[in-house]
């Protein structure tokens, strides 16, 4: 049953209240299953960003001085509220993004709650250090919040990314101006509402749906925002770095990927087939860490594909709100068309489509669906083996030796997620060591946990989400020197 539209929050959340945009502008958010409007959502402009920054500035002094355990308690309460409202959040997420409801229920909602809970517990455990300096002095460090933080998130995991971005920032005592993607704002607005219910003071979090080119760009430029954390495409990441230069913002970037998923000749084939399908087809392949380059040792390539291709063809596409659905639509029609354009890109360079390659017809023709698509590329330098497609589209490459596998795996500008399948312990650790990547999964793929650092190298960005690393990203170090019983140095003594 669809959500009643009246219950969906569709205004901006500024200073603890839902308000219209100053301009009065709105934008329809669509259900990607059939492209019908779900709600008309307020569209933030520069004036709204200014209002949000002013509210965050007012809230900051008290929020940063609140006992860390009390800040943590609010996040723990929020985690409970997310679970208590889990079914509603799951449906909202599926309606707005196209995530199959089984994933929204079993992954997105529990992971969002777990992340807020983890950082709620972390708030009063992240501490400075005492440094052994010369005799007579005491030197210690304070971990202080950065200040007003801008956060810009994409449309592929809008609910989960509220927690990845906001939880560590809040635990560390920062105030936030967040912009969700214009096409998927609904779950983030509901989270903002739940935050108020959990006791978050007004102004600490401000949620501003709006266009990237307007509100997002202005957040990146804003002279009173001290840090910008961004997840999205590498091209936009580059724009953000340029926009941030005005006040030398701290920048954290989580960008694209072209994950190598390497299957060696000694792998447990059944496990590798299943894990590789998960690596690329979960969330319709719309994941920066997707295993989008399926690298097969030539000795097992045929046997692997004999199982993998029927599996890909058997994936049940359908309405995301149906519990039987295994793959929903892509999140927008524009993105569906972009993903499908890569079929021609592959063919133009001699690639062969082994499965899928189109949109399903029938009941799904009105939606943003793409069939699970498997393409064999001739070279690892072909465009489909280099560029992020960000859909249910996997590029198969073969290799003859471990050396060649490493050359292919490290042969893109990206370096985010990566995986390998082998029974050879030594090879597993050697390959993990040599992969140019922020994350490596051995005999598995796409595991995440709030305690485990998440981020990339090269064109995949810099900085880390999750764990203690995320707390470091959202704090700055102050070094304090105390003269306990040292002699005043002899210089300039009269
Ligand atoms: P982006 O343009 O990178 O969008 C991500 C976020 O940045 C959205 O909230 C977007 O707002 C905002 N944004 C856009 N231009 C901005 C600017 N100049 N300043 C500040 N913020 C800005 O991604 P996209 O166009 O939606 O997708 C294009 C491709 O990016 C995808 O096909 C995929 O390859 C990649 N992508 C990667 C990721 C991850 S997780 N790494 C996520 C999404 C997309 P609006 O959406 O409201 O414009």
């Amino acid at each position: 049953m669809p959500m009643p539209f009246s219950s969906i929050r569709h205004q901006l959340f500024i200073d603890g209240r839902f308000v219209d945009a100053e301009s009065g502008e709105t934008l329809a958010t669509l259900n990607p299953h059939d492209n019908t409007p779900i709600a008309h959502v307020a569209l933030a402009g520069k004036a709204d960003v200014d209002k949000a920054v002013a509210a965050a500035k007012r809230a900051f002094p008290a929020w940063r001085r609140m006992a860390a355990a009390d800040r943590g308690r609010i996040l723990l309460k929020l985690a409970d509220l997310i679970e208590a409202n889990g079914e509603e959040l799951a449906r909202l997420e599926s309606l707005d993004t196209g995530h199959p409801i089984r994933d929204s229920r079993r992954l997105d909602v529990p992971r969002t709650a777990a992340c807020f809970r983890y950082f709620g517990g972390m708030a009063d455990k992240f501490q400075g250090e005492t440094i052994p300096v010369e005799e007579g002095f005491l030197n210690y460090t304070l971990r202080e919040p950065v200040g007003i933080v801008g956060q810009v998130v994409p449309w592929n995991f809008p609910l989960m990314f509220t927690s990845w971005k906001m939880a560590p920032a809040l635990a560390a005592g920062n105030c936030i101006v967040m912009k969700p993607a214009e096409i998927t704002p609904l779950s983030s607005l509901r989270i903002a509402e739940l935050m108020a219910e959990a006791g978050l003071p007004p102004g600490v979090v401000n949620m501003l749906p709006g266009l990237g080119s307007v509100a997002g760009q202005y957040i990146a430029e804003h002279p009173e925002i001290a840090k910008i954390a961004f997840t999205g495409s590498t091209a936009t990441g580059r724009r953000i770095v340029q926009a941030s230069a005005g006040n030398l913002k701290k920048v954290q970037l989580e960008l694209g990927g072209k994950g190598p998923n390497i299957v060696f000749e000694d792998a447990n084939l059944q496990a590798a087939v299943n894990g590789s399908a998960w690596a690329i087809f979960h969330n319709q392949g719309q994941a920066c860490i997707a295993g989008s380059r399926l690298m097969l040792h030539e000795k097992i390539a045929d046997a692997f594909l004999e199982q993998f291709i029927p599996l890909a063809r058997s994936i049940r596409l359908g309405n995301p709100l149906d519990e039987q659905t295994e793959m929903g639509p892509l999140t927008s029609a524009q993105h569906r068309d972009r993903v499908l354009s890569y079929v021609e890109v592959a063919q133009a360079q001699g690639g062969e489509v082994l499965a899928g390659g189109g949109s399903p017809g029938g009941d799904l023709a009105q939606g943003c669906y793409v069939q699970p698509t498997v393409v064999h590329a001739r070279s690892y330098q072909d465009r489909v083996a280099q560029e992020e497609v960000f859909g249910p589209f996997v590029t198969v490459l073969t290799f003859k030796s471990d050396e060649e596998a490493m050359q292919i795996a490290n042969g893109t500008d990206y370096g985010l997620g990566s995986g390998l399948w082998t029974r050879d312990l030594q090879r597993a650790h050697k390959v993990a060591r040599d992969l140019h990547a922020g994350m490596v999964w051995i005999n598995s793929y796409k595991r995440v946990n709030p305690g485990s650092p998440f981020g990339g190298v090269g064109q995949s960005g810099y900085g880390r989400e999750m764990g203690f690393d995320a707390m470091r990203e959202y704090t700055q170090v102050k070094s304090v020197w105390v003269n306990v019983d040292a002699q005043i140095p002899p210089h300039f003594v009269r």
Side-chain angles (χ1 to χ4, degrees), residues 59-322:
F60 183 57
W63 178 246
R64 71 172 293 182
R65 291 213 162 78
M66 184 186 278
D70 291 339
R71 284 201 303 269
R73 204 169 296 138
I74 294 174
L75 296 184
L76 295 173
K77 174 115 187 269
L78 175 64
D80 292 344
L81 283 172
I82 289 168
E83 282 169 351
N85 293 276
E87 181 58 19
E88 182 201 351
L89 282 165
R91 295 177 78 82
L92 210 48
E93 190 74 338
S94 289
L95 201 63
D96 209 15
T97 65
H99 289 200
I101 190 78
R102 50 159 65 183
D103 291 351
S104 300
R105 283 181 184 139
R106 288 171 213 155
L107 297 173
D108 301 76
V109 171
R111 283 178 174 178
T112 303
C115 184
F116 279 116
R117 191 166 284 133
Y118 175 89
F119 285 104
M122 172 78 88
D124 61 352
K125 291 160 196 77
F126 190 67
Q127 58 205 25
E129 292 169 331
T130 312
I131 293 99
V133 293
E134 51 272 36
E135 214 189 323
F137 284 95
L138 165 67
N139 180 232
Y140 63 92
T141 60
L142 297 171
R143 282 274 171 184
E144 299 186 331
V146 177
I148 315 302
V149 172
Q151 300 184 325
V152 176
V153 288
W155 40 262
N156 54 334
F157 290 101
L159 177 63
M160 223 169 64
F161 286 159
T162 60
S163 63
W164 288 27
K165 287 269 181 291
M166 292 203 283
L170 292 174
N174 299 280
C175 289
I176 296 173
V177 177
M178 175 178 271
K179 191 200 87 63
E182 74 208 42
I183 59 171
T184 57
L186 300 181
S187 56
S188 324
L189 288 168
R190 183 70 180 114
I191 288 289
E193 195 175 27
L194 292 176
M195 283 177 153
E197 200 179 323
L200 199 77
V204 172
V205 164
N206 303 275
M207 190 64 74
L208 302 187
L211 302 181
S213 55
V214 181
Q217 178 79 20
Y218 190 47
I219 289 172
E221 288 167 0
H222 204 289
E224 293 180 283
I225 293 182
K227 162 172 174 155
I228 177 114
F230 170 74
T231 297
S233 64
T234 298
T236 303
R238 208 166 278 123
R239 245 174 258 133
I240 285 192
V241 172
Q242 284 157 358
S244 71
N247 69 334
L248 297 176
K249 277 184 189 60
K250 211 174 162 180
V251 182
Q252 185 179 348
L253 300 174
E254 205 273 279
L255 307 177
K258 192 74 184 172
N261 177 32
I262 315 168
V263 185
F264 289 97
E265 70 277 21
D266 65 338
N268 174 337
L269 215 59
Q270 187 62 55
V273 166
N274 293 338
S276 302
W278 163 255
I280 184 63
F281 297 126
H282 165 236
N283 201 34
Q284 295 75 253
Q286 300 169 127
C288 48
I289 54 174
S292 52
R293 286 184 296 155
L294 178 54
M295 297 174 45
L296 306 175
H297 191 282
E298 62 174 13
K299 278 193 194 149
I300 50 93
D302 288 345
F304 183 98
L305 290 171
E306 261 166 43
Q307 294 185 49
F308 186 75
I309 288 172
L311 194 165
R313 291 197 178 119
S314 74
I315 292 175
R316 287 191 299 275
L317 269 66
N319 189 334
L321 293 180
D322 181 345

